[in-house]
Amino acid sequence: MQWHATGLRRSDRIIWSVIAVAAVIVFFTPLVSRFHLVWSSFLGPGTATAVFLAAQYFYQRHRTDPRLVASLGGTAQLIAFAAVAAPLSYIAASVNLPLDDRLLDGLDRAMGLDWFAWLDWTNAHASVHAAFWLIYYSLLPQTAIIVLVLAFSGQWGWLRAYMLAFIATTLVTIAVFALVPSEGVWELLHLHATNMQILPAVHGDYLATLRGLREGTSRSLIATGAEGIINFPSLHAALGLLFALALWPVRVLRWVWLVLNVTMIFTVPVEGGHYFVDVFAGIAIAAASLVVAHAIVRRAHAATPAVIEAALVPGR
């Protein structure tokens, strides 16, 4: 499909509209609750977003470079959304519905999936665990790398679909987490890092924050420095699927990225302290988000008049 300026602008407006709605929820929540904003934590993301948007405008209006326009705009969207998604997860945790750990563990067992067997295998392959640890933590750099690769390879419509899917997956995961809260395997299975041969990437250190939010002793909404507290569904597994498919149009990277992220999904139960059902739910949400995101971008382009603009510069 050929990407054109009008369709890209429409897609960007949708993305920024969703980010704006999320921001409104975050910034108005303190008005109706005991939450308070830690403004200093928003200063860095806010400044970075403004700088990237200013640079995007410059390369859009004064020194035409469509690849820089796409990369700067996509990075601005990524930073802005991350800054409001983190506090949204804190708000979701404060809903404080009854924990569903036993239900989730029961579903694993009903499917014949043994968390301890996977842990035992990882314990027995310490060298593999070291690689798994690195792959698990590749999530953040991959998020930015994908934006840059799609922008500079000319996959501008695909980039918008990726951003929409990323945002939708995260928001749906947060919403489901509010309704089906859990503390994860570390608490239910009484795990202790000192009793393991390996040290998983996530080993229960988020529990103090999660409990503080649930019990009402913690009411700070922060952007930078927020902890990952979502257990069900697994956002890590969900993004693993998005990342695995994100660079499919880029032939030189498609198989490398697919293998890397399929492996990352396999690391999630032990390295992330998740039930297996967390992983399956995350993948299902990501798959649905991808379908919807690509449909929205296709519709944004199909709605263009019969005479299509040159597929070069968004905003030209």
Side-chain angles (χ1 to χ4, degrees), residues 32-303:
V32 295
S33 70
R34 293 193 301 109
F35 274 108
H36 65 275
L37 293 165
V38 180
W39 287 104
S40 58
S41 71
F42 290 87
L43 180 59
T47 302
T49 299
V51 169
F52 278 105
L53 286 176
Q56 181 194 32
Y57 181 83
F58 175 80
Y59 284 104
Q60 193 173 51
R61 299 294 183 181
H62 301 292
R63 187 176 295 175
T64 303
D65 190 326
R67 288 171 174 78
L68 280 175
V69 168
S71 62
L72 292 165
T75 303
Q77 291 166 353
L78 190 62
I79 294 171
F81 177 69
V84 295
L88 272 179
S89 70
Y90 279 29
I91 295 169
S94 72
V95 174
N96 197 24
L97 292 177
L99 293 169
D100 288 305
D101 287 272
R102 294 196 177 279
L103 169 64
L104 300 175
D105 181 58
L107 290 172
D108 276 4
R109 295 177 187 277
M111 291 184 287
L113 298 170
D114 186 343
W115 194 91
F116 279 109
W118 190 217
L119 174 64
D120 289 342
W121 185 91
T122 309
N123 273 327
H125 299 81
S127 59
V128 174
H129 160 68
F132 279 5
W133 191 93
L134 289 173
I135 291 171
Y136 183 85
Y137 274 122
S138 72
L139 184 84
L140 287 180
Q142 280 198 72
T143 306
I145 289 169
I146 290 170
V147 170
L148 297 177
V149 171
L150 290 177
F152 284 96
S153 62
Q155 297 293 335
W156 303 320
W158 197 280
L159 170 58
R160 270 62 175 196
Y162 163 71
M163 285 305 308
L164 276 172
F166 181 95
I167 290 170
T169 295
T170 304
L171 292 178
V172 172
T173 297
I174 291 171
V176 174
F177 170 61
L179 299 175
V180 190
S182 70
E183 291 187 331
V185 297
W186 280 81
E187 177 62 18
L188 184 70
L189 303 182
H190 306 295
L191 301 172
H192 300 281
T194 54
N195 296 332
M196 291 188 176
Q197 297 177 41
I198 63 167
L199 182 62
V202 176
H203 43 274
D205 45 351
Y206 60 89
L207 286 172
T209 299
L210 176 59
R211 288 171 180 168
L213 291 164
R214 286 177 55 81
E215 295 165 5
T217 58
S218 175
R219 282 295 179 263
S220 298
L221 295 179
I222 58 178
T224 55
E227 288 191 70
I229 58 172
I230 299 174
N231 287 297
F232 177 85
S234 168
L235 183 57
H236 222 100
L239 296 182
L241 177 64
L242 292 188
F243 293 175
L245 300 177
L247 297 186
W248 193 253
V250 185
R251 292 180 181 274
V252 69
L253 290 176
R254 65 170 53 162
W255 292 109
V256 172
W257 230 251
L258 181 66
V259 171
L260 172 64
N261 285 287
V262 168
T263 303
M264 184 170 74
I265 292 171
F266 275 99
T267 72
V268 168
V270 168
E271 299 299 336
H274 281 282
Y275 304 104
F276 291 98
V277 71
D278 296 354
V279 176
F280 301 148
I283 290 173
I285 290 171
S289 297
L290 272 171
V291 172
V292 172
H294 279 280
I296 289 172
V297 172
R298 285 196 300 269
R299 184 177 179 84
H301 282 72

